[in-house]
Amino acid sequence: MTSSANSRLDAALLASMPVLFVALWSTGFIGAKFGLPHAEPFTFLFVRFVLTLALLAPLVKLMGSGWPTSWRLRGHIAVSGLLVHAAYLGGVFYGIYLGMPAGLTALLVGLQPLLTATLAGPLLGERITAVQWLGLALGLAGIAMVLGSKLDPGAALFQGFGFAALACVLVALAGITLGTLYQKRFCTGMPLLSGTVVQYLSASAVLGLGALLLEKRHIEWTPTFMLTLGWLVLVLSIAAILLLMALIRRGEASRVASLFYLVPPVTALQAWLLFDERLPPMALVGMAITILGVVLAARR
């Protein structure tokens, strides 16, 4: 193969990597939907994180990734892990466990860039532009349309799920938003691979305690559950992280960030194909308006 053909192949692989990353990331919500009938949320996540650590920790040595340089930095990374992994994934999994549709869950937590842009001003001193304010308004309007289309006026509850499920997903949204801001403020210089190990360690400790105190810790080791667990560990927690590292090294992080806006519709499409989750026309319009709002709000 000639050098020009090799360069074209490399360019094609590089162009496909961000799309592959987002496609893999969106399956996390679907994996929760498949696995939660067979295990309670905290128990499910604890087993997932323990298996992930068993595979990820040796990679730190194999890939020559250094560990965080100080105990202070390790402590900050552990706190960010509690927010980004324990609060975020715990909220997502419990929300879906309580009946929240996977597509709607992805849309709500997909508001993270919008909420981050709102809080970055007072917390990090970043200025919010007029275009970002427009994005915030559009995002809120779109979410109102989506949730309004699911509201049951007679029962004052959401169809198929209750307020507790919505509260869990809002906790997840708060966790990923505050975790992002905290990591940006206190975890500068965090080694991505070994820092992720520290984050998983702190998150698994809290989730394990939650499973011990709040759940029965029974798991149905069915083929569906084992395949789902294997997918979440190998593809989401390992492959997606390594793919993200490769993208960052190649300067593609900005493309990944922009493609995150496609996660809610991709998840909604997967949920429709696999679980027949349907959104009414007003909700679909609201989803499009919300994604536009998030894109505008996250612009620099």
Side-chain angles (χ1 to χ4, degrees):
M1 185 178 294
T2 64
S3 59
S4 60
N6 281 329
S7 62
R8 287 196 299 269
L9 178 60
D10 290 340
L13 290 175
L14 182 61
S16 66
M17 285 169 67
V19 179
L20 176 61
F21 175 77
V22 173
L24 295 179
W25 197 259
S26 65
T27 63
F29 301 95
I30 304 302
K33 189 86 172 179
F34 271 117
L36 285 171
H38 308 283
E40 294 164 295
F42 290 164
T43 301
F44 189 177
L45 286 170
F46 177 73
V47 173
R48 171 184 169 180
F49 284 174
V50 168
L51 292 177
T52 299
L53 284 168
L55 296 173
L56 198 59
L59 285 178
V60 176
K61 184 174 181 62
L62 290 175
M63 298 184 68
S65 175
W67 290 92
T69 54
S70 68
W71 284 105
R72 182 182 180 85
L73 178 58
R74 292 170 191 172
H76 284 311
I77 293 173
V79 172
S80 71
L82 294 179
L83 294 169
V84 171
H85 295 300
Y88 168 62
L89 287 177
V92 166
F93 272 56
Y94 242 105
I96 294 176
Y97 179 71
L98 294 175
M100 177 76 76
L104 184 55
T105 302
L107 177 64
L108 289 173
V109 298
L111 289 174
Q112 179 262 330
L114 187 151
L115 189 56
T116 300
T118 306
L119 296 177
L123 294 181
L124 300 178
E126 296 181 1
R127 186 174 65 89
I128 300 178
T129 66
V131 173
Q132 287 177 312
W133 281 117
L134 174 62
L136 296 175
L138 288 174
L140 293 176
I143 284 295
M145 292 177 65
V146 174
L147 294 180
S149 69
K150 303 290 287 182
L151 190 64
D152 181 357
L157 290 174
F158 294 95
Q159 297 174 2
F161 58 92
F163 178 76
L166 179 61
C168 288
V169 177
L170 293 179
V171 168
L173 174 59
I176 189 64
T177 301
L178 295 176
T180 299
L181 293 169
Y182 189 94
Q183 186 163 321
K184 182 176 181 180
R185 176 66 178 83
F186 296 107
C187 301
T188 303
M190 163 185 151
L192 184 58
L193 192 58
S194 60
T196 301
V197 170
V198 175
Q199 288 182 330
Y200 280 147
L201 281 171
S202 64
S204 61
V206 170
L207 291 170
L209 182 61
L212 183 65
L213 297 177
L214 302 175
E215 297 178 348
K216 298 179 180 178
R217 302 175 301 284
H218 173 69
I219 299 176
E220 297 175 357
W221 293 96
T222 64
T224 297
F225 178 78
M226 289 188 288
L227 287 173
T228 300
L229 181 63
W231 177 272
L232 292 177
V233 170
L234 296 173
V235 176
L236 268 295
S237 298
I238 303 293
I241 289 294
L242 295 178
L243 184 57
L244 177 61
M245 290 178 63
L247 289 167
I248 291 174
R249 287 198 185 100
R250 289 167 172 80
E252 294 293 312
S254 60
R255 289 190 64 188
V256 175
S258 64
L259 286 171
F260 262 113
Y261 308 137
L262 298 177
V263 170
V266 170
T267 302
L269 177 61
Q270 293 172 346
W272 172 63
L273 292 172
L274 296 171
F275 307 113
D276 199 31
E277 288 186 5
R278 299 177 182 272
L279 292 175
M282 186 174 74
L284 295 175
V285 174
M287 178 179 288
I289 292 174
T290 299
I291 293 169
L292 174 60
V294 172
V295 171
L296 294 177
R299 290 183 62 184
R300 291 189 178 274

